[in-house]
Amino acid sequence: MNESERTMAGAFSSVQISEHVYWVGAIDWELADFHGYATPRGSTYNAFLILADKVTLIDTVKEKYTGELLDRISSVIDPSKIDIIVSNHSEMDHTGALPEIVKVVKPEKIVASPKGVQAISRHFHGTGIEVEAVKEGDTLDLGNMTLRFMLTTMVHWPDSMFSYLEGDGVLFSNDAFGMHLASTERFVDEVDPWVVRYESAKYYANILWPTSKAVSAVLKKVHSLGAPINQIAPDHGPNWRINDDIHLVMDWYRDWTEGKSNPDKAVITFDTMWGSTAKMARAIAEGLGAGGMTVRMLPLQKTERSDLATELLDASVFVAGSPSLNSGLYPTIADALTYIKGLRPSKPTIIGGAFGSYGWSPAVQKQLGEWLTSMGVELPHEVLNTQYVPSGDDLEAAVEYGKALAAARNAD
Ligand code: FEO
């Protein structure tokens, strides 16, 4: 723990979230980027303390916030009274504080999934942290309460798991059902619903979209839990405690895992060198609009790639534009598409198009179309490009291109 952390001692308190559970996590107001994902609203690293006969800590926080975690625990109980630590996921936003916490707490037991045991040993070399593996459906006797474990492989990493506290009915869902949102509010029903929807979708698109099949399997497990879920306590953002909200987020997740699209939503993203590709983008938007679509125009000069991913989550048309630069894609487009391709946005209902201006390398827009195809976007029409500055006829062709894409979407 560094000196500035020590001087904050006593400043932070816990929040009781159910009869036996306290939130003891950390609020990261400064976080701007989470492995490539822009987080202008910051985040939280949630940890939870169960005051059972066997006092149990669920997850820890990023190393930088070890002092805040200890402070919040101390507002409830002497940290040395913790008997058990559960690590639902080894990524450092949840285990960074683990070595220091283990030194302070000296728990009788630390548990994680079998992959979690391996991952923790591969993260904290030489610390001597010993972790016991728990398997799917295993339970842990806390004396007067019981924890049940559900392996949730690839939601988000191979080691991920959920823990469920019988009695209070709290599902500790780690990276699922969360959002990157720093707030003083600890419950979803206290936060602006628009922010909850956008940040939940952004989190899904940027963290869980690549593993939608795994998420879908986990949703089925949650539905067949056979015990009431009174609260979902994720490791990022506020908790879901209202029954209707719990159903709502489950429904959102079902739609996202199934790749459900809004048939009227089109996303255009582009960058431009001398304004020609931008003119084409505006004309294509005009055509899509005339074809009955709502267009989200996302110029890369002012759009974070993670917001582009979010908008694509429920789009049915995706159009990308790039000028030719040195016989290749414009760097911002290459960056965005590399990122989006990693998210594997393939879904049954997305079509798209590619466009742009060139000087002497017309193959670049074809290359852009091939990028989209490789991402699972079906291109019903040839790519559209124009040399140097688009003429009035070229722009009319771009309007028609937009209309044709809207019609192709309607035909599906
Ligand atoms: Fe919140 Fe995969 O860590």
Side-chain angles (χ1 to χ4, degrees):
M1 203 187 315
N2 63 36
E3 194 52 38
S4 65
E5 286 272 300
R6 287 182 198 284
T7 59
M8 294 296 283
F12 302 103
S13 297
S14 64
V15 177
Q16 187 169 7
I17 63 151
S18 71
E19 187 180 350
H20 297 90
V21 182
Y22 290 77
W23 174 83
V24 291
I27 306 174
D28 188 345
W29 299 99
E30 299 156 71
L31 185 74
D33 181 281
F34 188 90
H35 55 51
Y37 163 175
T39 53
R41 291 191 170 94
S43 193
T44 63
Y45 314 111
N46 298 335
F48 300 96
L49 190 67
I50 304 172
L51 289 194
D53 288 350
K54 291 283 186 187
V55 178
T56 301
L57 178 66
I58 306 283
D59 291 326
T60 71
V61 297
K62 221 179 211 182
E63 183 182 16
K64 177 181 174 185
Y65 296 102
T66 305
E68 186 170 331
L69 170 63
L70 280 171
D71 218 11
R72 294 195 198 275
I73 293 170
S74 299
S75 73
V76 185
I77 196 169
D78 179 343
S80 67
K81 301 257 190 289
I82 293 172
D83 299 294
I84 298 167
I85 297 175
V86 174
S87 175
N88 278 328
H89 178 26
S90 62
E91 194 164 8
M92 300 274 244
D93 47 335
H94 309 299
T95 59
L98 186 63
E100 178 75 13
I101 294 296
V102 170
K103 275 191 211 160
V104 172
V105 168
K106 298 182 183 60
E108 66 178 48
K109 188 184 289 196
I110 305 170
V111 302
S113 69
K115 296 273 188 196
V117 173
Q118 288 174 18
I120 288 171
S121 78
R122 292 298 307 162
H123 276 76
F124 303 109
H125 306 284
T127 57
I129 295 176
E130 290 187 13
V131 186
E132 292 180 25
V134 290
K135 303 185 300 300
E136 174 70 24
D138 276 0
T139 57
L140 187 62
D141 183 5
L142 308 185
N144 58 335
M145 305 191 81
T146 301
L147 261 183
R148 214 192 294 180
F149 302 106
M150 183 188 297
L151 301 192
T152 58
T153 307
M154 295 316 297
V155 183
H156 163 222
W157 278 10
D159 63 290
S160 299
M161 73 175 187
F162 290 180
S163 303
Y164 173 74
L165 181 64
E166 294 180 359
D168 283 23
V170 179
L171 182 69
F172 301 101
S173 64
N174 193 259
D175 273 345
F177 309 119
M179 65 192 85
H180 283 314
L181 174 66
S183 66
T184 49
E185 293 78 18
R186 299 273 62 82
F187 298 99
V188 160
D189 50 281
E190 299 169 329
V191 178
D192 179 340
W194 187 91
V195 172
V196 169
R197 166 73 193 192
Y198 189 80
E199 293 301 336
S200 296
K202 186 171 184 179
Y203 190 89
Y204 188 90
N206 288 277
I207 300 288
L208 298 176
W209 202 354
T211 60
S212 285
K213 278 188 184 161
V215 179
S216 179
V218 165
L219 285 180
K220 289 190 179 85
K221 278 195 205 181
V222 170
H223 282 300
S224 59
L225 189 62
I229 296 173
N230 299 325
Q231 192 165 157
I232 298 178
D235 269 7
H236 299 291
N239 289 8
W240 307 79
R241 66 176 171 182
I242 306 284
N243 204 32
D244 285 351
D245 289 342
I246 291 172
H247 286 298
L248 184 67
V249 72
M250 293 279 195
D251 287 348
W252 290 346
Y253 266 57
R254 183 202 57 221
D255 289 349
W256 296 331
T257 58
E258 290 175 357
K260 192 169 175 185
S261 296
N262 174 350
D264 296 329
K265 180 176 177 181
V267 168
I268 302 177
T269 194
F270 69 94
D271 211 332
T272 195
M273 195 185 308
W274 292 106
S276 294
T277 302
K279 285 180 183 170
M280 296 175 77
R282 295 203 297 273
I284 292 169
E286 196 72 9
L288 286 163
M293 303 206 73
T294 299
V295 174
R296 290 286 294 121
M297 181 71 90
L298 301 174
L300 286 174
Q301 288 180 6
K302 63 170 191 178
T303 303
E304 294 283 355
R305 52 174 109 80
S306 44
D307 287 309
L308 171 60
T310 310
E311 294 293 351
L312 286 173
L313 187 60
D314 64 350
S316 56
V317 174
F318 177 32
V319 193
S322 173
S324 302
L325 178 65
N326 301 326
S327 303
L329 293 175
Y330 210 67
T332 48
I333 280 283
D335 172 272
L337 293 188
T338 299
Y339 181 78
I340 300 292
K341 188 174 179 180
L343 298 175
R344 293 188 267 163
S346 175
K347 49 184 179 173
T349 50
I350 193 158
I351 65 162
F355 66 97
S357 162
Y358 66 92
W360 53 94
S361 298
V364 169
Q365 287 72 43
K366 188 164 178 280
Q367 189 185 328
L368 178 57
E370 287 164 359
W371 254 102
L372 293 176
T373 303
S374 73
M375 292 162 58
V377 178
E378 183 194 334
L379 269 57
H381 303 292
E382 288 291 312
V383 302
L384 185 74
N385 59 2
T386 189
Q387 190 175 30
Y388 294 120
V389 178
S391 65
D393 286 348
D394 292 330
L395 292 176
E396 188 52 44
V399 172
E400 293 304 316
Y401 190 67
K403 286 181 185 171
L405 288 172
R409 171 269 315 184
N410 287 331
D412 276 340

